[in-house]
């Protein structure tokens, strides 16, 4: 793992959807178990964490389909000429006088149940992903970036799709319970129904594109540490080891010297294999 300086920067590409089976369960379990470590690292200024959420735009050929309509937000209305059937931008006041309308579906997510007639829609997932991005931004501006971990965990516990509580009202209750400004979160989110780009989600789409050695982010979950995609198991101890490997030797915080990580080194109890530089007296017994 690269360790360019005394601070580790890492990001988790995740999803607010909890109806995607084992992958969603894995992400929820990781947030619960890693929250304590993440908050210690961030409170001490040792690490900088950023959550991310994958979105995509609907291809032009499918913009009139029910799938795009239910999976996407920030629809831009474009008029289809009655004869050429080509889309061209027009003001909304002209739409009623024309025969058809196609939509520029800017930010999309899959249907949680993969059933367009039942349950939640992909566009509801996009809105909640946007809210959680804004929760992190507002928490960061207030000097409490680690509050995202509390929100993400509380939301998964209190606002589950399985219990039919995945909603705007439930999310806003969680925001309020953490003492974050709901007004600022809403201002950050903007209007999901607007015929306009959303700055937060557009930035997410830009960040999905690979840079340097990182590569594109195409699957969930994806953990990136010091601009390198992590390929190990999304599990508390394994991730802590990887994050701690991102510190220069001798600059690791105390959490990296615990039984989970020892001075940039680790030992597999089953095989008694050790890796890294041994520091006498630091191994847990």
């Amino acid at each position: 793992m690269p360790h360019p300086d005394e601070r580790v920067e890492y990001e988790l590409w995740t999803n607010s959807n909890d109806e995607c089976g084992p992958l969603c369960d894995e992400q929820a379990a990781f947030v619960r178990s890693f929250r304590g470590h993440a908050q210690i690292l961030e409170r001490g200024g040792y690490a900088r964490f950023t959550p991310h959420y994958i979105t995509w735009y609907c291809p032009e050929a499918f913009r009139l389909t029910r799938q795009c309509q239910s999976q996407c937000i920030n629809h831009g209305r474009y008029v289809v000429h009655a004869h050429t059937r080509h889309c061209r931008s027009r003001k909304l006041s002209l739409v009623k006088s024309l025969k058809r309308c196609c939509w520029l579906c800017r930010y999309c997510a899959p249907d949680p149940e993969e059933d367009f007639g039942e349950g939640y829609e992909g566009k509801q997932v996009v809105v909640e992903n946007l809210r959680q991005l804004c929760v992190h931004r507002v928490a960061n501006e207030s000097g409490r970036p680690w509050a995202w971990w509390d929100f993400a965990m509380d939301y998964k516990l209190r606002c589950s799709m399985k219990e039919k509580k995945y909603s705007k009202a439930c999310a806003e209750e969680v925001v309020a319970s953490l003492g974050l400004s709901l007004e600022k979160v809403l201002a950050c989110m903007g209007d999901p129904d607007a015929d306009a780009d959303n700055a937060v989600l557009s930035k997410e789409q830009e960040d999905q594109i690979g840079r340097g050695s990182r590569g594109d982010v195409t699957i969930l979950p994806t953990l990136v540490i010091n601009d390198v995609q992590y390929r190990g198991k999304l599990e508390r101890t394994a991730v802590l080891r990887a994050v701690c490997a991102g510190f220069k030797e001798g600059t690791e915080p105390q959490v990296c010297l615990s039984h989970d990580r020892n001075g940039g080194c680790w030992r597999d109890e089953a095989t008694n294999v050790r890796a890294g530089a041994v520091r006498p007296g630091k191994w847990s017994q």
Side-chain angles (χ1 to χ4, degrees):
M1 188 65 62
H3 39 79
D5 52 37
E6 296 181 4
R7 187 180 74 172
V8 171
E9 297 184 5
Y10 68 112
E11 57 196 60
L12 175 66
W13 290 81
T14 184
N15 203 326
S16 63
N17 173 12
D18 63 11
E19 285 280 26
C20 58
L23 281 178
C24 283
D25 295 340
E26 178 188 27
Q27 292 173 73
F30 173 71
V31 169
R32 286 195 302 270
S33 64
F34 197 71
R35 180 183 62 144
H37 289 324
Q39 292 182 329
I40 288 171
L41 288 166
E42 204 145 20
R43 284 175 182 270
Y46 301 112
R48 179 181 180 182
F49 169 76
T50 306
H52 287 289
Y53 298 80
I54 289 179
T55 66
W56 63 87
Y57 66 90
C58 188
E60 184 174 354
F62 298 95
R63 288 175 188 165
L64 285 173
T65 65
R66 183 180 180 186
Q67 288 86 340
C68 278
Q69 294 299 302
S70 70
Q71 293 180 342
C72 309
I73 67 171
N74 287 99
H75 301 293
R77 288 183 172 87
Y78 281 76
V79 174
V80 179
H81 191 277
H83 301 291
T84 66
R85 299 179 63 84
H86 290 159
C87 289
R88 60 186 180 184
S89 179
R90 291 288 186 93
K91 293 182 179 180
L92 294 182
S93 60
L94 298 179
V95 170
K96 293 182 180 179
S97 65
L98 294 148
K99 294 184 177 180
R100 293 185 63 198
C101 205
C102 67
W103 303 71
L104 177 62
C105 302
R106 292 175 171 91
Y107 314 105
C108 312
D111 186 281
E113 299 89 2
E114 298 184 356
D115 185 337
F116 298 107
E118 298 290 338
Y120 294 99
E121 295 181 310
K123 61 186 179 183
Q124 291 172 278
V125 175
V126 180
V127 171
E128 184 52 42
N129 290 348
L130 173 60
R131 189 187 338 273
Q132 297 193 12
L133 286 165
C134 287
V135 164
H136 181 261
R137 287 195 175 197
V138 171
N140 193 46
E141 291 170 359
S142 67
R144 295 191 295 142
W146 50 84
W148 177 89
W149 291 90
D150 294 324
F151 181 91
M153 188 185 78
D154 289 355
Y155 188 83
K156 289 182 184 299
L157 290 174
R158 295 164 58 176
C159 309
S160 169
M161 286 183 174
K162 297 179 179 67
E163 298 178 3
K164 308 302 180 186
K165 295 180 180 180
Y166 186 92
S167 68
K168 175 178 181 289
C170 187
E172 292 184 352
E173 287 179 5
V174 178
V175 171
S177 72
L178 296 175
L180 296 172
S181 169
L182 179 58
E183 182 180 355
K184 289 183 178 180
V185 170
L186 293 174
C188 169
M189 292 177 66
D191 181 5
D193 295 322
D195 176 11
D197 291 341
N198 181 287
V200 176
L201 292 177
S202 290
K203 180 65 164 58
E204 290 298 286
Q205 290 180 337
E206 291 175 10
D207 288 345
Q208 287 174 220
I209 300 172
R211 56 184 184 275
S213 60
R214 193 200 73 177
D216 294 349
V217 177
T218 58
I219 60 173
L220 293 176
T222 292
L223 184 69
V224 180
I225 304 172
N226 283 348
D227 218 29
V228 173
Q229 290 195 26
Y230 166 77
R231 297 302 184 189
K233 186 177 181 181
L234 192 67
E235 181 271 333
R236 176 179 60 87
T237 302
V239 170
L240 182 62
R241 288 172 178 166
V243 170
C244 289
F247 291 102
K248 284 186 175 181
E249 186 175 356
T251 68
E252 307 95 329
Q254 186 61 40
V255 68
C256 290
L257 310 179
S258 67
H259 65 280
D260 286 329
R261 278 286 299 182
N262 282 282
C265 311
W266 61 273
R267 176 176 63 181
D268 184 286
E269 298 292 342
T271 61
N272 199 33
V273 172
R274 299 182 178 186
V278 175
R279 293 185 179 183
K282 291 294 184 179
W283 290 111
S284 298
Q285 298 299 324

